Amino acid sequence: MNNSADTFKKTFAIKKDIPLPGSAEEKAIFNSIQQRFTRQFEDIFPDKLAPRTVVIIPSFSLDEEILSKIAGHIFYEERLLCLLMLLRMPLTKVIYVTSVPVDNIIIDYYLHLLPGITGSHARQRLTMLSCYDASSKPLTKKILERPRLIERIKQHITDENAAHLTCFNITCFEKTLAVQLGIPLFGTDPDLFYEGTKSGGRKIFKAAEVDLPGGFEDLKTRQDVVKALAALKKNKPGLRKAVIKMNDGFSGEGNAVFFYPHVSDNSLLEKNIDEDMSPHLRILAKNLSEKNFFEKIYEMGGIVEEFIDAEVKTSPSVQCLINPVHGLEVLSTHDQLLGGEDGQIFLGASFPASSEYNVSLAEEGKKVALTLAKKGVLGRFAIDFISVKENDKWIHYAIEINLRKGGTTHPFFMLQFLTDGVYNAEKGEYLTASGNKRFYFSTDNVCEEHYKGLTPHDLIDIAMFHSLMYDGAAQEGVVFHLIGALSQYGKLGLVCIGNTAQKAKEYYDKVIYVLDNECKA
């Protein structure tokens, strides 16, 4: 991101009345704007009838080369369409900006889910804007390159004191956009970016006194990685694999797995790893060479840590929220479904996490969240764990902090908006407003070659014909997302909600069965 930020600075340096990105002036303006957010949170957020404007920028402001390796990544901007559910509050306006236009049938699909509000009423308070730019640049960067689009956004903001910006993740670009729009940002100041990196996360885990895998952080060069791999093996001779992670990788795409070769003499271990790295290294991002991988490590830093191997192992996560008045809430726990040859790629999640450990998992997550709160973190974030069962006891190893929204954010948003419920972290259960338990199985990665060519209209027709739509009366069923990616990539997202975990999975199985039969026919 550094080169992009430098180019951006040069572009805007010639414009009048706009503080230079990253300058002391911009920081001062940003801090002043952010101070208004506390009043909004105290006075406007609790009042469902309070007028407000929410500007949603679902930008994946991540490394462009890594991002380009994710099939259909531009359609991931649709994941925050779950926030259109905010329109159920009758005086709330939503401005939603995307790289390319979202098909009207997709918007209609989300608006029909709104409880207690007609689609036409909600539509009047919704403004959809687009950059008309399908390139792999982050969306926020595209917006900043279009001053007239920024002015158009500002024209739709009724009151700056009752408006805020919400994004997928927050970088220097989102900070600059907040300053140019003159509205606060609901998220962590990017000056604290390091705390959410792989290296920063390991230091937070140590400060929070939670378990974490053995490893080394703040690595910059290939030689740093070689030394760390050798030291890990010497510390734990039985170790078979280690994971190398870029500091700012996404969804496992910035990871590589190293398989230790057999070396009889430990004094030759480092030399052996150095000279024979390539055949023992598996880079998870497709079409990313070893040379490029280590260039990314040099650019953004990285870590090496042991690959946790156990007979019984799961990959849960904890989602938390720190609000502007420093309140802390454990929002949810999930068991993540990881794929790829070495289980490093995020595919989906089930909610809540297993009843065997979700309470103790939440307690560990809260320790990390308290440490982050002291650092000044704001908004939603997630902590990923590897949990292993040893002698009938679960041990949770913290492995990653995501100071952003993620793959478990939008499913939980949808469940909350649709059921008005709350997750009780002390009991490990979610109850709707009427006191009924709910579970879900969600995925961003339903992906089949034979789904290609299905348009959003086709999907809605199939879903209605086979009774796959969410039932508001029963508060069960399926909610679709990533609908725009289906025709080109054969890719789709699902949130399958049921009154038991088994029922939620049955909804998922039914969707797959129906789509396979419809498409193969």
Side-chain angles (χ1 to χ4, degrees), residues 430-442:
Y430 179 92
L431 297 180
T432 67
S434 53
N436 297 311
K437 288 185 180 181
R438 283 296 177 271
F439 304 77
Y440 63 69
F441 180 81
S442 69

Side-chain angles (χ1 to χ4, degrees), residues 41 86 97 110 112 160 202 204 209 246 380 386 389 414 431 446 468 481:
F41 185 81
L86 292 168
V97 189
Y110 278 91
H112 106 277
E160 287 183 354
R202 286 184 58 85
I204 291 290
E209 298 183 350
M246 299 176 195
R380 291 174 181 263
I386 295 291
K389 194 173 186 180
M414 287 305 304
L431 297 180
V446 172
L468 297 177
H481 58 278

Side-chain angles (χ1 to χ4, degrees), residues 62-94:
L62 304 167
D63 181 88
E64 291 180 38
E65 188 172 355
I66 297 298
L67 197 57
S68 68
K69 309 297 181 187
I70 303 172
H73 69 85
I74 198 166
F75 294 103
Y76 278 59
E77 293 174 9
E78 292 182 14
R79 294 201 301 185
L80 290 191
L81 286 172
C82 60
L83 291 176
L84 297 192
M85 298 295 103
L86 292 168
L87 292 167
R88 67 181 184 169
M89 296 183 287
L91 295 179
T92 292
K93 292 172 61 178
V94 168

Side-chain angles (χ1 to χ4, degrees), residues 27-313:
K27 288 182 180 181
I29 295 171
F30 177 77
N31 291 336
S32 176
I33 291 171
Q34 287 298 103
Q35 287 175 12
R36 302 203 312 256
F37 195 45
T38 300
R39 188 193 68 79
Q40 274 196 49
F41 185 81
E42 292 176 329
D43 298 343
I44 296 174
F45 273 54
D47 185 357
K48 292 183 179 181
L49 296 179
R52 81 196 78 194
T53 302
V54 183
V55 181
I56 302 169
I57 309 295
S59 178
F60 274 32
S61 297
L62 304 167
D63 181 88
E64 291 180 38
E65 188 172 355
I66 297 298
L67 197 57
S68 68
K69 309 297 181 187
I70 303 172
H73 69 85
I74 198 166
F75 294 103
Y76 278 59
E77 293 174 9
E78 292 182 14
R79 294 201 301 185
L80 290 191
L81 286 172
C82 60
L83 291 176
L84 297 192
M85 298 295 103
L86 292 168
L87 292 167
R88 67 181 184 169
M89 296 183 287
L91 295 179
T92 292
K93 292 172 61 178
V94 168
I95 302 169
Y96 199 103
V97 189
T98 53
S99 291
V100 296
V102 180
D103 194 302
N104 271 330
I105 195 171
I106 297 175
I107 304 302
D108 289 340
Y109 169 73
Y110 278 91
L111 296 186
H112 106 277
L113 293 169
L114 284 166
I117 293 286
T118 65
S120 60
H121 192 284
R123 177 69 81 160
Q124 293 172 27
R125 295 176 283 112
L126 172 63
T127 301
M128 298 293 298
L129 298 172
S130 173
C131 296
Y132 296 90
D133 182 346
S135 70
S136 60
K137 290 180 187 176
L139 168 61
T140 309
K141 187 179 177 186
K142 296 173 188 175
I143 296 169
L144 289 167
E145 291 171 349
R146 292 164 171 79
R148 288 179 176 84
L149 178 56
I150 294 174
E151 286 304 312
R152 199 166 295 122
I153 296 171
K154 291 173 75 172
Q155 288 167 12
H156 287 282
I157 297 173
T158 308
D159 178 3
E160 287 183 354
N161 293 311
H164 74 273
L165 187 62
T166 186
C167 307
F168 175 79
N169 70 319
I170 295 171
T171 67
C172 60
F173 297 134
E174 285 71 30
K175 188 172 185 175
T176 293
L177 182 58
V179 169
Q180 292 195 27
L181 292 175
I183 60 175
L185 194 54
F186 196 176
T188 300
D189 187 327
D191 284 356
L192 295 173
F193 170 80
Y194 180 77
E195 313 302 340
T197 65
K198 305 299 187 295
S199 292
R202 286 184 58 85
K203 292 179 180 178
I204 291 290
F205 301 147
K206 292 172 186 176
E209 298 183 350
V210 299
D211 290 320
L212 72 161
F216 301 88
E217 55 271 1
D218 294 325
L219 309 179
K220 292 292 288 183
T221 66
R222 183 182 182 279
Q223 198 56 43
D224 288 343
V225 171
V226 169
K227 288 180 178 179
L229 288 169
L232 264 186
K233 181 70 170 176
K234 288 175 182 176
N235 291 341
K236 196 170 184 178
L239 192 64
R240 297 186 300 124
K241 292 186 283 186
V243 187
I244 308 166
K245 299 179 181 180
M246 299 176 195
N247 263 346
D248 195 27
F250 170 76
S251 194
E253 295 288 348
N255 296 0
V257 177
F258 180 76
F259 297 80
Y260 283 101
H262 175 71
V263 179
S264 55
D265 186 352
N266 263 353
S267 65
L268 299 176
L269 183 59
E270 187 175 319
K271 182 175 183 291
N272 186 280
I273 291 172
D274 187 22
E275 294 176 351
D276 202 26
M277 168 82 78
S278 297
H280 298 280
L281 186 70
R282 182 182 295 152
I283 296 167
L284 302 188
K286 294 177 182 177
N287 304 316
L288 188 68
S289 68
E290 182 180 332
K291 179 176 180 289
N292 285 347
F293 180 82
F294 282 106
E295 285 173 351
K296 293 296 179 187
I297 291 286
Y298 181 77
E299 180 184 326
M300 65 178 71
I303 67 168
V304 165
E305 62 186 18
E306 64 176 297
F307 185 97
I308 301 291
D309 234 341
E311 200 170 308
V312 181
K313 180 175 79 169

